[in-house]
Amino acid sequence: MGFFAARQPILDRHKSLFGYELLFRTSLDNVFPDVDQEKATSKMIEVLQFDLGMDRISEGKLAFINFTEKTLLGGYAELLPKQKIVVEVLETAKPTKSLFLALQKLHNKGYILALDDFVHDERWTPFYRLIHIIKIDYLEATTEEINKTIAAARKYPHIKLLAEKVETNRQFKEALNLGFDYFQGYFFSRPEVIKSISLTPAQTSVAGLLNKVAAEEPNFDEIAQLFELDVTLSFKLLRYAQSATFKRRNPIKNIKQAVLMLGKVELQRFVGLLFAAQFSSDKPQELIRLSMQRAKFCELIAPHCNQSNDSSSAFLTGMLSLIDAMLDADLNAIISDLPLSQDIKLALTQKQGWLADCIALCIDFEKGIWHKMEDSCKRLNIPYTGILKEYQIASDWAEDKVNEFS
């Protein structure tokens, strides 16, 4: 049985990362409840413990994991460490005495319990003393249902509310005002306010560098000159080049020497980090990490698309795919002002070309939209059974790089 995994970030009221919901499937066209539940959950636990690794996929944050009624009654949750997971009771579960006893046992052992896609029902009231988090589908639930659940939860101060499928900043602020504590969705990657914007000189410099290093045959003299025009960029380049990662025989004497020592690939990554830091200084770190992950993932899948010579453009396209959220500005206006190739511009603004398909694949994977992901794989001629490894490599790389710059 093959296994696919996506993770969706859960942020707190300050837009700091609180945890990830992990979405697992046995194929791109089967959802979890459609397969044998015990077998699927056993495989999920095996993958977390021995293959992907709990810490590796959740980056040390809490992992929200769905459990069906049958797997809860079977005690499957106890096979995972209580300090690392949140046990989500799926909405298909019934409030039976046997389920209450199973959840009571988990509660007494210190597991964090959550009710998923929940709408208040009096039959669940006895369970509330065991529950730590109630998840409400902010997109599908009616205002009446949301208010009803909030009112019921307020009688139990220990219960935290989590709004899922929050896709816009307006929805985030509404949920915040209603008293929600945690938020799941991609509101943090949407512009808070659409506005026109003028790039600062520093941002323009980094954008110019991105374009230069993405060229098939970069002109290192021109790249060195761009660094030399900005003292801050020069300092960061020298500090990066002095990292223990690079084995130097001689001390670095000038900017061009540092540029040549890094070479195209590492220089591209370094400028990508500069870009993420420069354009999203006041944004949630998850937004920076996601842009880096998309960049690396696009770079890794480019060879599958017979575009191995253009992996730099794929990297840059992935990096720029969240530029509108970083600047809170209109995407078309930003991209038109940047010195980018026509292929990259068409991918980002018109969703045309193989680069656009790469971005679509990233987004579908992030959200766990498996059938769309399969369509993207077919268009790109990528064997979808093998891309999980590439996605995990991209995720690990992005996490490491963000930590370096944080």
Coordinates of all heavy atoms in Angstrom, one line a residue, residues 123-179:
R123 N -25.8 15.5 22.8 CA -25.4 14.2 23.1 C -23.9 14.1 23.4 O -23.4 13.2 24.1 CB -25.7 13.2 22.0 CG -27.2 13.0 21.8 CD -27.4 12.1 20.5 NE -26.8 12.7 19.3 CZ -26.6 12.1 18.2 NH1 -26.9 10.8 18.1 NH2 -26.1 12.7 17.1
W124 N -23.1 15.2 22.9 CA -21.7 15.2 23.1 C -21.3 16.0 24.4 O -20.1 16.0 24.8 CB -21.0 15.9 21.9 CG -20.9 15.0 20.7 CD1 -21.8 15.0 19.7 CD2 -19.9 14.1 20.5 NE1 -21.3 14.0 18.8 CE2 -20.2 13.5 19.2 CE3 -18.7 13.7 21.1 CZ2 -19.4 12.5 18.7 CZ3 -17.9 12.7 20.6 CH2 -18.3 12.1 19.3
T125 N -22.3 16.6 25.1 CA -21.9 17.4 26.3 C -21.1 16.6 27.3 O -20.2 17.2 27.9 CB -23.2 18.0 26.9 OG1 -23.9 18.8 25.9 CG2 -22.9 18.8 28.1
P126 N -21.4 15.4 27.6 CA -20.6 14.7 28.6 C -19.2 14.5 28.2 O -18.3 14.3 29.1 CB -21.3 13.3 28.7 CG -22.7 13.5 28.3 CD -22.6 14.6 27.2
F127 N -18.9 14.6 26.9 CA -17.5 14.4 26.4 C -16.7 15.7 26.6 O -15.4 15.6 26.6 CB -17.5 14.1 24.9 CG -18.0 12.7 24.6 CD1 -19.4 12.4 24.6 CD2 -17.1 11.7 24.2 CE1 -19.8 11.2 24.3 CE2 -17.6 10.4 23.9 CZ -18.9 10.2 23.9
Y128 N -17.3 16.8 26.8 CA -16.6 18.1 26.8 C -15.5 18.2 27.9 O -14.5 18.8 27.7 CB -17.6 19.3 27.0 CG -18.3 19.6 25.8 CD1 -18.2 18.9 24.6 CD2 -19.3 20.7 25.8 CE1 -18.9 19.2 23.4 CE2 -20.0 21.0 24.6 CZ -19.8 20.3 23.5 OH -20.5 20.6 22.3
R129 N -15.7 17.5 29.0 CA -14.7 17.6 30.1 C -13.4 16.9 29.7 O -12.3 17.1 30.3 CB -15.2 17.1 31.4 CG -15.5 15.6 31.4 CD -16.0 15.1 32.8 NE -16.3 13.7 32.9 CZ -15.4 12.8 33.1 NH1 -14.1 13.2 33.3 NH2 -15.7 11.5 33.2
L130 N -13.5 16.0 28.6 CA -12.3 15.3 28.2 C -11.6 15.9 27.0 O -10.5 15.7 26.7 CB -12.7 13.8 27.7 CG -13.6 13.0 28.7 CD1 -14.0 11.7 28.0 CD2 -12.8 12.7 29.9
I131 N -12.3 16.9 26.4 CA -11.9 17.5 25.1 C -11.0 18.7 25.4 O -11.4 19.6 26.2 CB -13.1 17.8 24.2 CG1 -13.8 16.5 23.9 CG2 -12.6 18.5 22.9 CD1 -13.1 15.4 23.2
H132 N -9.9 18.9 24.6 CA -9.1 20.1 24.8 C -9.3 21.1 23.7 O -9.2 22.3 23.9 CB -7.6 19.6 24.8 CG -7.3 18.6 25.8 ND1 -7.4 17.3 25.6 CD2 -6.8 18.8 27.1 CE1 -7.0 16.7 26.7 NE2 -6.6 17.5 27.6
I133 N -9.7 20.6 22.5 CA -9.8 21.5 21.3 C -11.0 21.1 20.5 O -11.3 19.9 20.3 CB -8.6 21.4 20.4 CG1 -7.3 21.8 21.1 CG2 -8.8 22.2 19.1 CD1 -6.0 21.6 20.3
I134 N -11.8 22.1 20.1 CA -13.0 21.8 19.2 C -12.7 22.5 17.9 O -12.4 23.7 17.9 CB -14.3 22.3 19.8 CG1 -14.7 21.5 21.0 CG2 -15.4 22.4 18.8 CD1 -16.0 21.9 21.7
K135 N -12.7 21.8 16.8 CA -12.4 22.3 15.5 C -13.8 22.6 14.8 O -14.6 21.7 14.7 CB -11.6 21.3 14.7 CG -10.2 21.0 15.2 CD -9.4 20.1 14.3 CE -9.0 20.8 13.1 NZ -8.2 19.9 12.2
I136 N -13.9 23.8 14.3 CA -15.1 24.2 13.6 C -14.8 24.5 12.1 O -13.8 25.3 11.9 CB -15.8 25.4 14.3 CG1 -16.2 25.0 15.7 CG2 -17.0 25.9 13.5 CD1 -16.7 26.2 16.5
D137 N -15.5 23.9 11.2 CA -15.3 24.2 9.8 C -15.9 25.6 9.5 O -17.1 25.8 9.3 CB -16.0 23.2 9.0 CG -15.7 23.2 7.5 OD1 -15.5 24.4 7.0 OD2 -15.6 22.2 6.8
Y138 N -15.0 26.6 9.4 CA -15.4 28.0 9.3 C -16.0 28.2 7.9 O -16.7 29.2 7.7 CB -14.2 28.9 9.5 CG -14.6 30.3 9.9 CD1 -15.0 30.5 11.2 CD2 -14.6 31.4 9.0 CE1 -15.3 31.8 11.7 CE2 -14.9 32.6 9.4 CZ -15.3 32.8 10.7 OH -15.7 34.1 11.2
L139 N -15.7 27.4 6.9 CA -16.2 27.6 5.6 C -17.6 27.0 5.4 O -18.5 27.6 4.8 CB -15.2 27.0 4.5 CG -15.5 27.2 3.1 CD1 -15.4 28.7 2.8 CD2 -14.5 26.4 2.2
E140 N -17.8 25.8 6.0 CA -19.1 25.1 5.8 C -20.1 25.4 6.8 O -21.3 25.3 6.6 CB -18.8 23.6 5.7 CG -17.9 23.2 4.5 CD -18.5 23.5 3.2 OE1 -19.8 23.4 3.1 OE2 -17.8 23.7 2.2
A141 N -19.7 25.6 8.1 CA -20.7 25.8 9.2 C -21.4 27.1 9.0 O -20.8 28.1 8.6 CB -20.0 25.7 10.5
T142 N -22.7 27.1 9.4 CA -23.5 28.4 9.3 C -23.1 29.3 10.5 O -22.6 28.8 11.5 CB -25.0 28.1 9.3 OG1 -25.3 27.5 10.6 CG2 -25.4 27.1 8.2
T143 N -23.5 30.5 10.5 CA -23.2 31.4 11.6 C -23.9 30.9 12.8 O -23.4 31.0 13.9 CB -23.7 32.9 11.2 OG1 -23.0 33.3 10.1 CG2 -23.5 33.8 12.4
E144 N -25.2 30.4 12.7 CA -25.9 29.9 13.8 C -25.2 28.7 14.4 O -25.1 28.6 15.7 CB -27.3 29.5 13.3 CG -28.2 28.9 14.4 CD -29.6 28.5 13.9 OE1 -29.8 28.7 12.7 OE2 -30.3 28.0 14.8
E145 N -24.7 27.8 13.6 CA -24.0 26.6 14.1 C -22.7 27.0 14.8 O -22.4 26.5 15.9 CB -23.7 25.7 13.0 CG -24.9 25.0 12.4 CD -24.6 24.2 11.1 OE1 -23.6 24.5 10.4 OE2 -25.3 23.2 10.9
I146 N -22.0 28.0 14.3 CA -20.7 28.4 14.9 C -21.0 29.1 16.3 O -20.4 28.7 17.3 CB -20.0 29.5 14.0 CG1 -19.5 28.8 12.7 CG2 -18.9 30.1 14.8 CD1 -18.9 29.7 11.7
N147 N -22.0 29.9 16.3 CA -22.4 30.6 17.6 C -22.9 29.6 18.6 O -22.6 29.7 19.8 CB -23.4 31.7 17.3 CG -22.9 32.9 16.6 OD1 -21.7 33.1 16.6 ND2 -23.7 33.6 15.9
K148 N -23.6 28.6 18.2 CA -24.1 27.6 19.1 C -23.0 26.8 19.7 O -23.0 26.5 20.9 CB -25.0 26.6 18.3 CG -25.7 25.5 19.1 CD -26.5 24.7 18.2 CE -27.2 23.5 18.9 NZ -28.0 22.6 18.0
T149 N -22.0 26.4 18.9 CA -20.9 25.6 19.4 C -20.0 26.5 20.3 O -19.5 26.0 21.4 CB -20.0 25.1 18.2 OG1 -20.8 24.4 17.3 CG2 -18.9 24.2 18.7
I150 N -19.8 27.7 20.0 CA -19.0 28.6 20.8 C -19.6 28.8 22.2 O -19.0 28.7 23.2 CB -18.8 30.0 20.1 CG1 -17.9 29.9 18.9 CG2 -18.2 31.0 21.1 CD1 -17.8 31.2 18.1
A151 N -21.0 29.0 22.2 CA -21.7 29.2 23.5 C -21.6 27.9 24.3 O -21.4 28.0 25.6 CB -23.1 29.5 23.2
A152 N -21.6 26.8 23.7 CA -21.5 25.5 24.5 C -20.1 25.4 25.1 O -19.9 24.9 26.2 CB -21.9 24.3 23.6
A153 N -19.1 25.7 24.3 CA -17.7 25.5 24.7 C -17.3 26.5 25.8 O -16.4 26.2 26.6 CB -16.8 25.7 23.5
R154 N -17.9 27.7 25.8 CA -17.6 28.7 26.8 C -17.9 28.2 28.3 O -17.3 28.7 29.2 CB -18.3 30.0 26.6 CG -17.7 30.8 25.5 CD -18.5 32.0 25.1 NE -17.8 32.8 24.1 CZ -18.4 33.7 23.3 NH1 -19.7 33.9 23.5 NH2 -17.7 34.4 22.4
K155 N -18.7 27.2 28.4 CA -19.0 26.6 29.7 C -17.9 25.8 30.2 O -17.9 25.4 31.4 CB -20.3 25.8 29.7 CG -21.5 26.6 29.3 CD -22.7 25.7 29.1 CE -23.9 26.5 28.6 NZ -25.1 25.6 28.4
Y156 N -16.9 25.5 29.3 CA -15.7 24.7 29.7 C -14.5 25.5 29.3 O -13.9 25.4 28.2 CB -15.8 23.4 28.9 CG -17.1 22.6 29.2 CD1 -18.2 22.8 28.5 CD2 -17.1 21.6 30.2 CE1 -19.4 22.1 28.8 CE2 -18.2 20.9 30.5 CZ -19.4 21.2 29.8 OH -20.6 20.5 30.0
P157 N -14.0 26.3 30.3 CA -12.8 27.2 30.0 C -11.6 26.5 29.5 O -10.7 27.2 28.8 CB -12.6 27.8 31.4 CG -13.9 27.7 32.1 CD -14.5 26.4 31.7
H158 N -11.4 25.2 29.7 CA -10.2 24.5 29.3 C -10.2 24.2 27.8 O -9.2 23.9 27.2 CB -10.0 23.2 30.0 CG -11.1 22.2 29.7 ND1 -12.3 22.2 30.3 CD2 -11.0 21.1 28.9 CE1 -13.0 21.2 29.8 NE2 -12.3 20.5 29.0
I159 N -11.4 24.3 27.1 CA -11.5 24.0 25.7 C -11.1 25.2 24.9 O -11.5 26.3 25.1 CB -13.0 23.6 25.4 CG1 -13.4 22.3 26.0 CG2 -13.2 23.5 23.8 CD1 -14.8 21.9 25.7
K160 N -10.2 24.9 23.9 CA -9.8 25.9 22.9 C -10.5 25.7 21.6 O -10.8 24.5 21.3 CB -8.3 25.8 22.7 CG -7.4 25.9 23.9 CD -7.5 27.3 24.5 CE -6.5 27.4 25.7 NZ -6.6 28.8 26.3
L161 N -10.8 26.8 20.9 CA -11.5 26.7 19.6 C -10.5 26.8 18.5 O -9.7 27.7 18.5 CB -12.6 27.8 19.6 CG -13.7 27.6 20.6 CD1 -14.6 28.9 20.5 CD2 -14.5 26.4 20.4
L162 N -10.7 26.0 17.5 CA -9.9 26.0 16.3 C -10.7 26.2 15.1 O -11.7 25.4 14.8 CB -9.0 24.7 16.2 CG -7.9 24.7 15.1 CD1 -6.9 23.6 15.5 CD2 -8.4 24.4 13.7
A163 N -10.5 27.3 14.3 CA -11.2 27.5 13.1 C -10.5 27.0 11.9 O -9.3 27.4 11.7 CB -11.5 29.0 12.9
E164 N -11.1 26.0 11.2 CA -10.4 25.4 10.0 C -11.0 25.9 8.7 O -12.1 26.4 8.7 CB -10.4 23.9 10.1 CG -11.7 23.2 10.2 CD -11.6 21.7 10.3 OE1 -10.5 21.2 9.9 OE2 -12.5 21.1 10.8
K165 N -10.2 25.8 7.7 CA -10.6 26.3 6.3 C -10.8 27.9 6.4 O -11.7 28.4 5.8 CB -11.9 25.7 5.8 CG -11.7 24.2 5.6 CD -13.0 23.5 5.0 CE -12.8 22.0 4.9 NZ -14.0 21.4 4.4
V166 N -9.9 28.5 7.1 CA -9.8 30.0 7.1 C -8.9 30.4 6.0 O -7.7 30.2 6.0 CB -9.3 30.5 8.5 CG1 -9.2 32.0 8.4 CG2 -10.2 30.0 9.6
E167 N -9.5 31.0 4.9 CA -8.7 31.2 3.7 C -8.4 32.7 3.4 O -7.6 33.0 2.6 CB -9.5 30.7 2.5 CG -9.7 29.1 2.5 CD -8.4 28.4 2.4 OE1 -7.5 28.8 1.6 OE2 -8.2 27.4 3.2
T168 N -9.0 33.6 4.2 CA -8.7 35.0 4.0 C -8.4 35.7 5.3 O -8.8 35.2 6.3 CB -9.9 35.7 3.3 OG1 -11.0 35.8 4.2 CG2 -10.3 35.0 2.0
N169 N -7.7 36.8 5.2 CA -7.4 37.6 6.4 C -8.7 38.1 7.1 O -8.7 38.2 8.3 CB -6.4 38.7 6.1 CG -5.8 39.3 7.3 OD1 -5.1 38.6 8.0 ND2 -6.1 40.5 7.6
R170 N -9.7 38.4 6.2 CA -10.9 38.9 6.8 C -11.6 37.8 7.7 O -12.0 38.1 8.8 CB -11.9 39.3 5.7 CG -13.3 39.7 6.2 CD -14.2 40.0 5.0 NE -14.5 38.8 4.2 CZ -15.3 37.9 4.6 NH1 -16.0 37.9 5.7 NH2 -15.5 36.8 3.8
Q171 N -11.6 36.6 7.2 CA -12.1 35.5 8.0 C -11.3 35.2 9.2 O -11.8 35.0 10.3 CB -12.1 34.2 7.1 CG -13.1 34.2 6.0 CD -13.0 32.9 5.1 OE1 -11.9 32.3 5.1 NE2 -14.0 32.6 4.4
F172 N -10.0 35.4 9.1 CA -9.1 35.3 10.3 C -9.5 36.3 11.4 O -9.6 35.9 12.6 CB -7.6 35.4 9.9 CG -6.7 35.6 11.1 CD1 -6.4 34.6 12.0 CD2 -6.1 36.9 11.3 CE1 -5.6 34.8 13.0 CE2 -5.2 37.1 12.3 CZ -5.0 36.0 13.2
K173 N -9.7 37.5 11.0 CA -10.0 38.6 11.9 C -11.4 38.3 12.6 O -11.6 38.6 13.7 CB -9.9 39.9 11.3 CG -8.5 40.4 11.0 CD -8.4 41.7 10.3 CE -7.0 42.1 10.1 NZ -6.9 43.5 9.4
E174 N -12.3 37.9 11.7 CA -13.7 37.6 12.3 C -13.6 36.5 13.3 O -14.2 36.6 14.4 CB -14.6 37.1 11.1 CG -15.1 38.2 10.2 CD -15.9 37.6 9.1 OE1 -16.0 36.4 9.0 OE2 -16.4 38.4 8.3
A175 N -12.9 35.4 13.0 CA -12.7 34.3 13.9 C -12.0 34.7 15.2 O -12.3 34.3 16.3 CB -12.0 33.1 13.2
L176 N -11.0 35.6 15.0 CA -10.2 36.1 16.1 C -11.1 36.8 17.1 O -11.1 36.6 18.3 CB -9.1 37.0 15.6 CG -8.0 37.4 16.5 CD1 -7.1 36.2 16.9 CD2 -7.1 38.5 15.9
N177 N -12.0 37.7 16.5 CA -13.0 38.4 17.4 C -14.0 37.5 18.0 O -14.5 37.9 19.1 CB -13.7 39.5 16.5 CG -12.7 40.6 16.1 OD1 -11.7 40.9 16.7 ND2 -13.0 41.2 14.9
L178 N -14.3 36.4 17.4 CA -15.3 35.5 18.0 C -14.7 34.7 19.2 O -15.4 34.0 19.9 CB -15.8 34.5 17.0 CG -16.8 35.1 16.0 CD1 -17.1 34.1 14.8 CD2 -18.1 35.5 16.7
G179 N -13.3 34.7 19.3 CA -12.7 34.0 20.4 C -11.9 32.8 20.1 O -11.5 32.0 21.0

